[in-house]
Amino acid sequence: MRVSPDLTRIGGETRSSRALFAVPLVIILAVTVTDLYAPASVHLGPFLIAAPAITASFAGAGGTAAIGALAVAAQVLIGVFHGGLMTANHQAQIVALIVISGLVTSFRYVTDRHRRKLSQVRTVAVAAQEVLLRPLPERIGELRIASLYLAADEEAQIGGDLYAAVRTEGAARLVIGDVRGKGMAAIGDASVLIGAFRGSAYRNLSLPGIVAHMDNAMCWHWHHSAGGERNVLESFVTAVVLDVYDDGPVAGMVNCGHPPPLLLHRGEVATLDVGDPAVPLGLEVLAERDYRVEMFRFEYGDVLVLHTDGVVEARDDSGAFYPLPERLAAWKGGGPQALVDYLHADLLRHTGGVVNDDAAIVVIARCA
């Protein structure tokens, strides 16, 4: 994730904005020449204020001030040509042009300062979010991985959805989850869960063990962050935790109330439902023995799609949900990144370019 270039050059003139300076310059030249050749009773000088006003829309305070000064100089030239600067009319026009140009430049300067501060805040926020939601590795052993995150908040790169991957003894372990809620509280909850997932990787816990550890971490977090009082109906995390084993074409999964993954096998799409799903994390303190691992085949050439409910619950203008299994079945093939790009573009077409909830997709392919 990077800060877009337009935020790093606040107040500066890019090549395109420099080209736009031709517009106020043409206005100044046209008004000046026309006024010089017009009858003395016709006063076009007041139109010169359009030049600095237009400049302020694309240039910084310095460029706006320069165009304003040039407009004032043109007004002085017109005044001299039409009888001198001592007439009340010309003096009033010059003073008014100076005052308005100064105001426009001042407003532009204040706007630039606010935008620079906003750019700095966004830069820090992006850095913090990158620490929380690190990019997944493109390859772990026999797995190729690609991911997509769409945040509902336009000012954020991430929200309450999360994913992470680590290596454990004999397997690649992944998690995808969805914290109930939005905003900073959801981001904070997601950071606790990801921290618990990553921090316990070195302990080589079993799959039920890591899920129990994450559940206990969330219960502890909400109990202490809320001063011992929290509503269990409002604080929980749905998640899928997955182990893809190295020694065979199989994988194990614990699903805690999360949308089931989809498996693409030889052109057919299967939904990996579980017979005994666990409750979402954080609702109650559970032990390792309370979680059941569901096994399924994950062969070479298969593609596994993990996702959050923000994907399948995205609606079009008619209110229809995004048909992920059907769109996945229509995919023409390629690597994980190609599939992520395909789903990204297709999802935005379905929603008209805007998502109303955080959405995350992780695509995993098993290859030699």
Side-chain angles (χ1 to χ4, degrees):
M1 290 176 284
R2 298 183 304 164
V3 178
S4 56
D6 59 321
L7 294 179
T8 62
R9 301 200 50 168
I10 302 298
E13 281 79 35
T14 63
R15 180 178 299 179
S16 59
S17 66
R18 287 195 295 269
L20 290 175
F21 274 104
V23 176
L25 291 175
V26 168
I27 291 175
I28 292 174
L29 180 62
V31 171
T32 302
V33 172
T34 304
D35 201 311
L36 291 178
Y37 285 93
S41 59
V42 177
H43 303 286
L44 300 179
F47 289 103
L48 290 170
I49 192 55
I54 291 174
T55 305
S57 66
F58 62 83
T64 303
I67 293 297
L70 189 59
V72 171
Q75 182 63 67
V76 170
L77 175 62
I78 292 173
V80 171
F81 187 83
H82 283 301
L85 300 177
M86 301 308 295
T87 63
N89 183 52
H90 287 143
Q91 289 179 352
Q93 291 183 31
I94 293 172
V95 170
L97 186 56
I98 292 173
V99 171
I100 296 177
S101 296
L103 289 174
V104 170
T105 301
S106 298
F107 284 130
R108 179 64 206 206
Y109 175 76
V110 172
T111 300
D112 287 347
R113 287 191 59 187
H114 285 300
R115 294 181 66 187
R116 277 192 293 268
K117 290 180 180 179
L118 178 60
S119 176
Q120 293 171 355
V121 171
R122 286 178 173 173
T123 301
V124 173
V126 168
Q129 292 172 110
E130 286 181 336
V131 171
L132 171 58
L133 195 68
R134 301 173 191 168
L136 296 179
E138 294 182 1
R139 186 147 190 165
I140 301 179
E142 296 180 339
L143 304 182
R144 294 173 60 196
I145 304 174
S147 60
L148 168 68
Y149 200 109
L150 296 175
D153 187 350
E154 295 181 357
E155 300 301 324
Q157 298 291 332
I158 63 172
D161 288 4
L162 59 100
Y163 50 68
V166 296
R167 279 293 301 174
T168 62
E169 186 176 353
R173 178 166 290 168
L174 300 98
V175 62
I176 187 168
D178 183 1
V179 177
R180 187 191 183 282
K182 297 181 180 180
M184 292 303 299
I187 294 174
D189 294 342
S191 69
V192 172
L193 192 68
I194 291 179
F197 176 79
R198 291 177 179 150
S200 62
Y202 71 94
R203 298 171 58 189
N204 288 322
L205 297 176
S206 66
L207 189 53
I210 184 64
V211 178
H213 174 73
M214 294 163 60
D215 175 66
N216 293 338
M218 296 312 301
C219 288
W220 185 93
H221 165 66
W222 280 318
H223 176 79
H224 288 275
S225 64
E229 298 179 2
R230 70 179 182 90
N231 188 334
V232 296
L233 298 178
E234 296 183 357
S235 302
F236 60 85
V237 184
T238 66
V240 165
V241 187
L242 183 78
D243 272 356
V244 181
Y245 302 107
D246 299 336
D247 57 358
V250 293
M253 175 178 64
V254 175
N255 190 327
C256 301
H258 196 76
L262 299 175
L263 179 66
L264 182 60
H265 173 71
R266 298 179 182 178
E268 298 292 330
V269 178
T271 301
L272 299 180
D273 292 310
V274 296
D276 186 19
V279 298
L281 302 174
L283 287 179
E284 56 182 307
V285 178
L286 299 177
E288 180 177 345
R289 63 179 179 275
D290 296 317
Y291 293 98
R292 175 184 172 185
V293 178
E294 301 276 350
M295 305 298 295
F296 62 93
R297 294 191 63 81
F298 186 36
E299 303 176 358
Y300 292 109
D302 288 353
V303 176
L304 186 63
V305 179
L306 312 178
H307 60 91
T308 59
D309 60 6
V311 177
V312 292
E313 294 181 0
R315 298 174 182 266
D316 61 13
D317 292 339
S318 67
F321 291 120
Y322 180 68
L324 179 59
E326 290 82 353
R327 300 301 172 86
L328 183 58
W331 182 50
K332 301 302 182 182
Q337 188 59 54
L339 177 53
V340 164
D341 293 340
Y342 162 78
L343 292 175
H344 185 193
D346 193 58
L347 179 62
L348 291 181
R349 279 195 299 269
H350 181 82
T351 62
V354 178
V355 292
N356 295 320
D357 192 9
D358 300 325
I361 298 174
V362 176
V363 174
I364 308 164
R366 188 160 205 162
C367 55

